[in-house]
Amino acid sequence: MLDRYQPGEHALTVLEMIRHTLAEICDGEADAAILSEFPQHWLGNIVHVALPPNVPEGSAELYSIPRGKDRALLLLTRDAQGLSVFPEALRRDAMASCTRAWVVRCGTALHFAKDMVQPENFADLLAWAAACEPGLDTRLLLAAKNCFKRRCWLFVMAPNGCVGAQVKLPPLIDKSIQTVQFYRRILDIIRNKILVTRWSGTPMHTDFIFDRNLGTQPGLAGRSVVLVGCGTIGSHLAKFLAQSGAGHLGNLILVDPDTMSPGNIGRHWLGPGQVGQFKADACRDELKAMFPSSNIRSIAESILDRKSVLAKADLVIDATGEEALSLALNEILVRKRPLGPAAIHVWLIGNGAAAQCLLVRHNSLEGCCLKCIRTSPAASSPYWPLVVGEETQPVAATCGEAAFVPYGVAAPAIAAAMALKACLDWSRNASEPNMRTIRVEFGATVEVPDTTPKPIFDCPACGQR
Ligand SMILES: [Zn+2]
């Protein structure tokens, strides 16, 4: 879309980009970009591909996932296991639509040879395949011949993507075919009268889902993550963790003994439909609906009654925001040193005026613990961001509701996002500052630089006793 205030200049910029792109194409410099986007250049209908990149050559299954009236998403997968990313109800509908397909592997990048365009018929398809890789045409033809009495769907998996073709015999001939020998002979003698519908694959396997947005950085897949607290910060963080791979290959355990109340709704990830449910269970149910194949468990009890879940954790996240509970958890983890998990504590200060988090590495005897940075009074800490006179202002208890600290959803969402970043930095073993502060209310806070706090010699938790 053109910039409405400078349309002329913008149009000239676009023309210059076109000139530059055409020059690159003429010089052959655009070949790599075109190769990497080959499925788009195939100009086919979209098919979602849930095959892992190393899938062997052989039969596959094609499912139609309902997407409302007259709409469906087509999914290519090795078998029904590929449907595991969809909720149960959709899986049942999809199972009824299962169609056989055949996947042929191509070791070289898919491309169009000189003067070759997108195939329209079976003869073109085989010619394109032969030009891509010697012998690919023979294997495609063999796969097609094995499709007798099935709708013939052929897909080619290559390092630069997956494309497919649905082979359609002329209707009169299709009706007259009685034997497999005749069918195979038809495929040989009227190839240019057999039309093909092209399909362009777009990846949808679980590794792609959880890795795509993290680039080369590792996410949380394969890790054992325990999230303590599914309240205002924890509920948003639970979703961020699952999106970043927690629960995929590894596991994600949500721990919180509280139930959802109407007063939570304005700043919690969950809504009115979950009032009265345990927050941990309700968060797990929502996440399982989004990521059915992920290994996500909930424990609707205090972590102090279920300390055993900490034993196998790689990462424990404390989003309780309760000073006493956080320090009790810190004490448990400090006692596991130097074989303990990493811990990330995240909390809000004042009425959501600032968000802070601290990474503690309990796999070492070095480094501070949570108690090292918790001074009394809190305002004497060098990490305290509230300005004098901006102390926490709770709302007094009223009929039917306990006292609470008012703030909107922005502060816990910011805190959750900051904690997630700390989790991902831990996962890639980055040497980022262990303690981070984000100011939410600028008038109520001062700048606290991100830093890695030093341990306190006489810390009652981790110091010399
Ligand atoms: Zn300490």
Side-chain angles (χ1 to χ4, degrees):
M1 187 180 288
L2 291 180
D3 181 332
R4 68 168 55 230
Y5 301 109
Q6 294 173 303
E9 287 178 29
H10 201 173
L12 286 175
T13 307
V14 172
L15 287 172
E16 174 55 24
M17 286 166 67
I18 292 171
R19 190 198 64 76
H20 182 72
T21 305
L22 287 173
E24 279 191 340
I25 291 171
C26 292
D27 296 343
E29 292 172 12
D31 291 359
I34 292 172
L35 270 189
S36 67
E37 297 169 351
F38 186 81
Q40 281 95 311
H41 295 283
W42 186 248
L43 301 182
N45 301 313
I46 296 297
V47 57
H48 294 74
V49 179
L51 301 169
N54 58 351
V55 66
E57 193 156 310
S59 74
E61 291 174 358
L62 203 57
Y63 293 94
S64 179
I65 316 293
R67 280 288 172 260
K69 193 170 179 291
D70 301 331
R71 292 183 63 235
L73 177 155
L74 215 59
L75 183 80
L76 177 68
T77 163
R78 188 73 195 276
D79 50 35
Q81 188 68 30
L83 291 171
S84 62
V85 297
F86 294 99
E88 174 69 27
L90 278 181
R91 282 208 294 268
R92 275 199 304 273
D93 288 344
M95 295 286 270
S97 71
C98 179
T99 304
R100 284 263 177 216
W102 197 269
V103 175
V104 175
R105 291 202 65 95
C106 177
T108 55
L110 301 174
H111 62 278
F112 290 119
K114 195 169 184 298
D115 300 329
M116 197 166 268
V117 294
Q118 292 81 1
E120 300 284 346
N121 60 50
F122 195 50
D124 292 346
L125 179 73
L126 295 181
W128 163 79
C132 259
E133 185 178 81
L136 185 62
D137 54 332
T138 312
R139 280 146 58 216
L140 270 182
L141 179 61
L142 195 63
K145 287 184 175 179
N146 282 329
C147 287
F148 180 56
K149 289 193 174 174
R150 295 179 195 145
R151 293 169 68 187
C152 182
W153 293 81
L154 306 171
F155 289 90
V156 182
M157 276 290 278
N160 61 336
C162 175
V163 299
Q166 185 184 4
V167 179
K168 292 179 176 170
L169 299 181
L172 279 177
I173 292 178
D174 196 20
K175 280 183 187 166
S176 67
I177 292 177
Q178 300 290 332
T179 66
V180 65
Q181 289 79 7
F182 183 49
Y183 164 75
R184 288 175 177 169
R185 189 156 161 69
I186 288 294
L187 288 182
D188 282 331
I189 60 178
I190 58 160
R191 285 177 191 169
N192 57 2
K193 294 205 166 43
I194 300 172
L195 301 183
V196 296
T197 304
R198 291 186 307 278
W199 291 86
S200 297
T202 183
M204 201 174 166
H205 54 88
T206 47
D207 290 347
F208 170 82
I209 289 171
F210 294 115
D211 291 345
R212 177 187 186 273
N213 296 303
L214 296 172
T216 55
Q217 297 182 4
L220 298 171
R223 302 289 198 163
S224 179
V225 180
V226 176
L227 172 64
V228 185
C230 298
T232 52
I233 299 174
S235 61
H236 297 286
L237 182 52
K239 173 171 169 279
F240 295 162
L241 292 169
Q243 284 177 300
S244 305
H248 174 56
L249 303 176
N251 59 69
L252 172 62
I253 301 176
L254 311 175
V255 187
D256 195 319
D258 287 346
T259 54
M260 187 73 184
S261 74
N264 295 141
I265 294 167
R267 57 194 190 191
H268 202 277
W269 176 50
L270 301 175
Q274 283 99 355
V275 167
Q277 281 187 273
F278 285 110
K279 292 173 180 172
D281 294 347
C283 282
R284 177 208 57 201
D285 291 347
E286 285 295 306
L287 293 175
K288 287 293 284 180
M290 294 168 81
F291 307 104
S293 62
S294 288
N295 183 11
I296 302 171
R297 286 202 294 132
S298 61
I299 297 175
E301 294 176 55
S302 167
I303 187 66
L304 301 182
D305 296 327
R306 294 294 296 272
K307 295 173 200 160
S308 57
V309 300
L310 302 171
K312 291 181 180 169
D314 298 318
L315 175 65
V316 176
I317 304 162
D318 160 32
T320 62
E322 291 181 37
E323 175 88 359
L325 181 52
S326 295
L327 289 174
L329 188 57
N330 179 67
E331 178 71 24
I332 295 167
L333 298 176
V334 163
R335 287 169 185 270
K336 291 181 181 293
R337 288 184 174 192
L339 300 173
I344 288 175
H345 302 269
V346 55
W347 63 92
L348 289 171
I349 286 184
N351 291 41
Q356 287 189 312
C357 76
L358 175 73
L359 164 66
V360 183
R361 299 174 195 272
H362 294 290
N363 62 350
S364 153
L365 293 171
E366 310 294 322
C368 79
C369 77
L370 180 66
K371 183 59 186 164
C372 289
I373 64 152
R374 291 283 166 92
T375 56
S376 184
S380 67
S381 163
Y383 315 111
W384 187 249
L386 272 194
V387 299
V388 177
E390 290 287 348
E391 284 72 28
T392 307
Q393 302 288 334
V395 170
T398 56
C399 179
E401 192 175 53
F404 69 101
V405 180
Y407 52 82
V409 66
I414 288 169
M418 176 174 62
L420 173 74
K421 185 68 175 72
C423 293
L424 294 173
D425 287 343
W426 160 80
S427 185
R428 68 187 174 99
N429 214 13
S431 56
E432 303 291 340
N434 287 352
M435 181 158 182
R436 307 166 191 215
T437 303
I438 295 181
R439 296 164 71 188
V440 182
E441 303 293 349
F442 276 71
T445 53
V446 293
E447 186 76 29
V448 175
D450 291 350
T451 184
T452 295
K454 295 271 185 291
I456 303 294
F457 178 76
D458 56 355
C459 168
C462 73
Q464 307 288 325
R465 304 181 195 220

